[in-house]
Amino acid sequence: MDILRKIQEHREEELRLAWEGTFADYLEIVKERPYVAQTAHSRVYNMIKDAGVEEVDGKKKYNFFSGHMFGIDEAIERLVEEYFHPSAKRLDVRKRILLLMGPVSGGKSTLVTLLKRGLEAYSRTEKGAIYAIKSCPMHEDPLHLVPPHLRDEFYKQYGVRIEGNLSPLNMMRLQEEYGGRIEDVMVERIFFSENKRVGIGTFSPSDPKSQDIADLTGSIDFSTIAEFGSESDPRAYRFDGELNKANRGMMEFQEMLKCDEKFLWHLLSLTQEGNFKAGRFALISADELIVAHTNEAEYRSFISNKKNEALHSRIIVMPVPYNLSYSEEERIYEKMIRESDMAHVHIAPHTLKVAAMFTILTRLKESKKAGIDFIKKMRLYDGEIIEGFNEVDVEEMRAEHSDEGMKGIDPRYVINRISSAIIRKETPSINALDVLRSLKDGLNQHASISNEDRERYMNFISVARREYDNIAKKEVQKAFVYSYEESAKTLMDNYLDNVEAYCNKNKLRDPLTGEEMNPDEKLMRSIEEQIGISENAKKAFREEILIRISAYARKGKRFDYNSHERLREAIQKKLFADLKDVVKITTSTKTPDEQQLKKINEVIATLIDEYGYNSTSANELLRYVGSLLNR
Ligand SMILES: Nc1ncnc2c1ncn2[C@@H]1O[C@H](COP(=O)(O)OP(=O)(O)OP(=O)(O)O)[C@@H](O)[C@H]1O
Ligand SMILES: [Mg+2]
């Protein structure tokens, strides 16, 4: 029901947004809201800007891309500042083809798709509204109707600059349908839609021998030549190439550099002069953003070819490198998994993070800085604070290699390996070890990795594995400590009782038997040794604690677990040291006794309830940490 209602709402919205009127009516709209007549580049830029910009530490973050593109804010900022913004201002870069260059699966297509979907949505908003000559296959700009000799005058009145000439088809329609009366020409509001082929196009090269230039610029409709008498009658022409359809919006040119040159020449005059040649007509004006993408190798071979010089100067290359922060990389995987049919699979905590660490390691280049290894660099790039290094060091490291992020493992590879790890397992639950193993196996089958890189990558698998070992151990300890919170208190109370008796030269009473006994020296020392208190210093330490307790008592405050920093540390360490044995024994025993079983269940419950594991992954984690501690 809900979906049907939504469909109806959508239909009603279409009706509400629809507008048509005469050219004279349209001029009223232009007078009030001149932005409806903005250029394609300007509309794209405003779309990005209108979504909002945040500035953090002098770096811009464009909301338009947030939640979709991760870890490449710098590349995006550059793209906006160096291409979209100046081209919106009609500066010269507008006349160049935008070429996104980056490694495989680095998000180039995703970026372009975002722009396309964004434009579709934007054209339905007030700010992004756009109008065209009614029933024109190229959704021609109505202002093209204004004769060239009046355009300066028009600019003075409306503040809108007009570029481009009325197309041959509309020139003819103006005469035939409207008797030359420009003011009567019908105008309509249009809505960008790739599916309906309005304002958004995609050109992707196929076999160069069979591909027809008509795919780009349209073609003669031979069936109508008889009706209209000649091939140069624009009515006998189908303006249905991608360049025609993308007019006013954008066209994605896939695999541009793989394309036959003759296709590229069409783009030359389009970008440079704003028009292109189709059939036997005068030049056709078009206003559209052309975005292409390529990888580095392809681009290098393209520019090394002298024949491409003219084209080269009409292209603006914007790098789209891989992300270099593992937290952001993790978010990329989360997004890709959400969008895939693996979404139901349980992925144990830290699994994607560890995979991301491996990936980032493969993308980093060695730093010349003293004391920096790959792991440290990875952490610093992720914004972690590491003693001895600061912001400036990070900036310097980034500046060391301008091409960092152009090579390494790509996100799609990782996702593929995750899905094959899932297939291999019987339960729909995977952990970091499954994924690392799968990543490793995949490296052997990966055809495009050189032997040298393979060796480096294998090594990074081990590095990531060590990171995981530490994470796993801490996680289990934490889970044990939680169920041992009570024990921490008990241990401390016990220690304090003994210290009191020791300092006052008293005896203690056994709570069970009521027997008198001496302070438990062994227990006290086992705690004190954790923070390096020597035999000679123990007396002073114990007295200091007693003084602290009485100072608290005098102020009416309760002395507890957190009242003495060093004592707390000692208790915690003692607990962890004890835990090591508890964990070790509890997790490795094949036949746990009742007590151990109870502990295991408690810890597993904590892992599930508080840390996001399920019972499979919690049990796997316990077993793994048990094996680590037994090494
Ligand atoms: N920085 C990133 N932020 C968000 N998602 C990303 C990023 N990099 C890659 N991806 C994801 O990786 C997958 C592959 O990206 P995409 O297809 O856009 O790459 P591409 O650069 O076009 O690759 P190719 O060169 O193979 O065409 C997509 O699911 C995309 O969402
Ligand atoms: Mg792509």
Side-chain angles (χ1 to χ4, degrees):
M1 276 318 276
D2 202 38
I3 195 75
L4 290 181
R5 206 189 70 230
K6 289 244 161 70
I7 291 171
Q8 188 189 342
E9 274 170 16
H10 185 78
R11 207 162 39 225
E12 283 163 8
E13 156 120 329
E14 298 270 276
L15 286 177
R16 194 174 57 76
L17 292 178
W19 181 92
E20 75 171 56
T22 62
F23 181 69
D25 298 332
Y26 176 64
L27 283 186
E28 289 304 310
I29 295 179
V30 175
K31 195 185 281 172
E32 249 176 62
R33 294 152 50 209
Y35 56 79
V36 300
Q38 67 191 317
T39 62
H41 286 84
S42 161
R43 187 169 277 102
V44 173
Y45 173 67
N46 284 322
M47 163 180 83
I48 295 170
K49 205 184 62 168
D50 285 354
V53 195
E54 278 165 43
E55 207 164 323
V56 186
D57 301 335
K59 285 181 182 144
K60 291 213 174 99
K61 207 172 163 76
Y62 291 89
N63 294 343
F64 181 82
F65 299 96
S66 307
H68 303 282
M69 305 298 314
F70 300 110
I72 53 167
D73 291 342
E74 232 161 278
I76 287 175
E77 181 173 353
R78 188 165 166 204
L79 181 62
V80 176
E81 304 279 292
E82 291 181 24
Y83 185 77
F84 290 128
H85 193 183
S87 64
K89 295 210 153 123
R90 298 181 193 249
L91 292 175
D92 209 53
V93 284
R94 174 169 74 116
K95 299 185 170 170
R96 300 210 227 145
I97 297 169
L98 174 60
L99 179 62
L100 304 176
M101 180 187 69
V104 286
S105 294
K108 301 179 297 295
S109 300
T110 309
L111 202 118
V112 175
T113 305
L114 271 180
L115 292 174
K116 286 177 171 175
R117 298 294 90 80
L119 273 180
E120 289 175 346
Y122 194 58
S123 71
R124 304 173 69 89
T125 67
E126 185 68 23
K127 285 289 203 136
I130 177 168
Y131 297 79
I133 293 177
K134 196 180 172 203
S135 315
C136 169
M138 281 182 66
H139 351 281
E140 184 161 17
D141 183 351
L143 296 185
H144 284 179
L145 290 161
V146 177
H149 68 276
L150 295 178
R151 290 185 177 181
D152 281 343
E153 184 65 30
F154 185 89
Y155 178 62
K156 278 189 207 126
Q157 264 193 44
Y158 290 83
V160 175
R161 240 184 257 286
I162 305 174
E163 280 173 36
N165 302 317
L166 194 61
S167 69
L169 179 65
N170 285 323
M171 189 101 78
M172 176 171 254
R173 286 176 62 200
L174 175 62
Q175 295 314 323
E176 305 258 314
E177 290 173 35
Y178 300 101
R181 288 179 54 84
I182 287 171
E183 58 273 39
D184 292 344
V185 174
M186 291 305 285
V187 173
E188 62 184 347
R189 180 166 175 187
I190 57 167
F191 304 97
F192 288 148
S193 160
E194 179 153 31
N195 288 338
K196 294 184 185 156
R197 304 192 75 210
V198 180
I200 314 263
T202 303
F203 182 78
S204 88
S206 52
D207 176 10
K209 283 181 213 77
S210 64
Q211 186 148 41
D212 195 342
I213 198 77
D215 295 347
L216 261 188
T217 60
S219 58
I220 292 283
D221 183 351
F222 288 100
S223 65
T224 56
I225 293 181
E227 184 186 339
F228 298 114
S230 117
E231 275 187 36
S232 52
D233 187 312
R235 290 167 302 183
Y237 194 85
R238 279 205 304 255
F239 295 91
D240 62 355
E242 293 302 325
L243 281 179
N244 308 110
K245 290 299 174 187
N247 187 29
R248 315 292 298 283
M250 65 180 278
M251 187 186 91
E252 174 184 6
F253 203 139
Q254 297 182 334
E255 310 289 354
M256 184 173 91
L257 302 185
K258 290 199 181 78
C259 199
D260 199 84
E261 280 161 55
K262 71 174 185 245
F263 291 90
L264 299 184
W265 294 115
H266 277 271
L267 299 182
L268 273 192
S269 87
L270 174 60
T271 49
Q272 201 66 19
E273 263 71 61
N275 51 38
F276 63 91
K277 185 93 180 117
R280 298 189 178 166
F281 308 113
L283 292 162
I284 297 175
S285 301
D287 170 30
E288 54 200 83
L289 163 71
I290 296 180
V291 192
H293 32 92
T294 183
N295 61 44
E296 202 177 6
E298 215 165 57
Y299 178 69
R300 299 257 167 265
S301 88
F302 172 79
I303 52 172
S304 67
N305 187 344
K306 274 265 177 269
K307 263 186 8 201
N308 294 326
E309 242 165 35
L311 262 171
H312 183 204
S313 66
R314 274 130 161 138
I315 289 174
I316 181 157
V317 181
M318 284 286 157
V320 183
Y322 285 140
N323 147 60
L324 294 176
S325 138
Y326 69 81
S327 311
E328 297 293 328
E329 189 72 9
E330 198 182 343
R331 299 173 71 189
I332 298 178
Y333 303 159
E334 280 166 2
K335 180 192 73 167
M336 290 170 81
I337 287 169
R338 232 184 358 258
E339 290 165 356
S340 76
D341 50 10
M342 299 186 265
H344 66 285
V345 175
H346 171 78
I347 297 177
H350 310 296
T351 301
L352 299 182
K353 175 162 54 194
V354 171
M357 285 178 168
F358 162 72
T359 311
I360 300 301
L361 287 169
T362 67
R363 295 175 185 170
L364 296 181
K365 295 200 158 187
E366 203 160 346
S367 171
K368 287 192 190 71
K369 263 190 191 303
I372 283 286
D373 57 13
F374 281 105
I375 275 280
K376 279 200 186 128
K377 186 170 182 181
M378 177 192 82
R379 292 191 183 288
L380 285 168
Y381 271 16
D382 206 60
E384 264 177 58
I385 292 162
I386 294 184
E387 219 174 284
F389 300 98
N390 58 23
E391 280 290 301
V392 179
D393 292 308
V394 178
E395 288 308 314
E396 281 171 7
M397 269 188 313
R398 287 192 196 277
E400 266 180 282
H401 303 280
S402 62
D403 57 344
E404 196 167 43
M406 283 296 180
K407 283 201 177 68
I409 290 289
D410 62 288
R412 211 179 275 133
Y413 171 77
V414 176
I415 292 299
N416 288 343
R417 295 316 300 171
I418 290 178
S419 71
S420 83
I422 288 170
I423 290 164
R424 215 178 318 168
K425 253 183 128 175
E426 295 125 38
T427 44
S429 164
I430 52 161
N431 61 37
L433 295 174
D434 297 325
V435 171
L436 283 180
R437 197 175 309 122
S438 181
L439 284 168
K440 189 173 170 183
D441 294 348
L443 291 177
N444 290 321
Q445 303 153 18
H446 206 306
S448 60
I449 297 181
S450 71
N451 283 338
E452 194 192 333
D453 280 343
R454 184 168 297 123
E455 210 164 295
R456 282 181 59 231
Y457 294 178
M458 288 292 184
N459 183 37
F460 288 139
I461 295 264
S462 313
V463 176
R465 163 83 179 265
R466 280 200 292 279
E467 287 295 304
Y468 176 64
D469 290 353
N470 286 331
I471 295 172
K473 271 191 274 189
K474 254 192 222 140
E475 188 101 308
V476 168
Q477 261 173 346
K478 242 168 60 196
F480 263 89
V481 166
Y482 176 77
S483 38
Y484 271 53
E485 186 82 7
E486 283 300 310
S487 314
K489 274 207 199 94
T490 315
L491 184 60
M492 165 124 141
D493 287 345
N494 203 349
Y495 175 75
L496 292 179
D497 286 347
N498 279 289
V499 164
E500 208 170 18
Y502 168 85
C503 292
N504 297 336
K505 303 202 165 53
N506 283 345
K507 298 239 175 218
L508 285 155
R509 204 172 279 284
D510 187 307
L512 283 182
T513 59
E515 256 175 84
E516 290 216 323
M517 47 181 207
N518 286 325
D520 186 346
E521 191 57 35
K522 214 172 132 207
L523 172 86
M524 288 187 285
R525 288 304 293 146
S526 73
I527 291 171
E528 289 153 3
E529 275 162 4
Q530 299 292 336
I531 48 171
I533 291 170
S534 69
E535 189 63 33
N536 289 336
K538 74 180 183 191
K539 190 157 181 272
F541 182 74
R542 292 173 190 176
E543 280 165 358
E544 181 206 317
I545 289 201
L546 269 200
I547 292 169
R548 179 77 62 94
I549 291 178
S550 61
Y552 264 65
R554 239 182 297 124
K555 285 186 214 145
K557 284 207 294 183
R558 237 181 76 82
F559 185 91
D560 70 9
Y561 188 56
N562 289 312
S563 307
H564 194 286
E565 183 82 22
R566 293 193 67 212
L567 180 58
R568 189 185 63 187
E569 192 191 328
I571 297 275
Q572 223 166 42
K573 280 198 170 157
K574 165 75 175 135
L575 219 56
F576 268 37
D578 290 352
L579 268 180
K580 198 176 162 185
D581 296 331
V582 175
V583 178
K584 201 160 142 179
I585 295 162
T586 318
T587 52
S588 60
T589 172
K590 295 250 161 22
T591 50
D593 60 27
E594 203 179 316
Q595 190 70 14
Q596 288 168 330
L597 210 56
K598 191 167 159 255
K599 265 171 211 159
I600 291 178
N601 288 338
E602 265 172 24
V603 168
I604 288 194
T606 304
L607 288 173
I608 294 173
D609 297 342
E610 287 173 40
Y611 299 135
Y613 289 80
N614 71 1
S615 82
T616 310
S617 62
N619 277 294
E620 285 169 347
L621 178 73
L622 270 196
R623 228 175 300 137
Y624 181 60
V625 170
S627 77
L628 282 180
L629 295 178
N630 272 305
R631 256 176 216 164

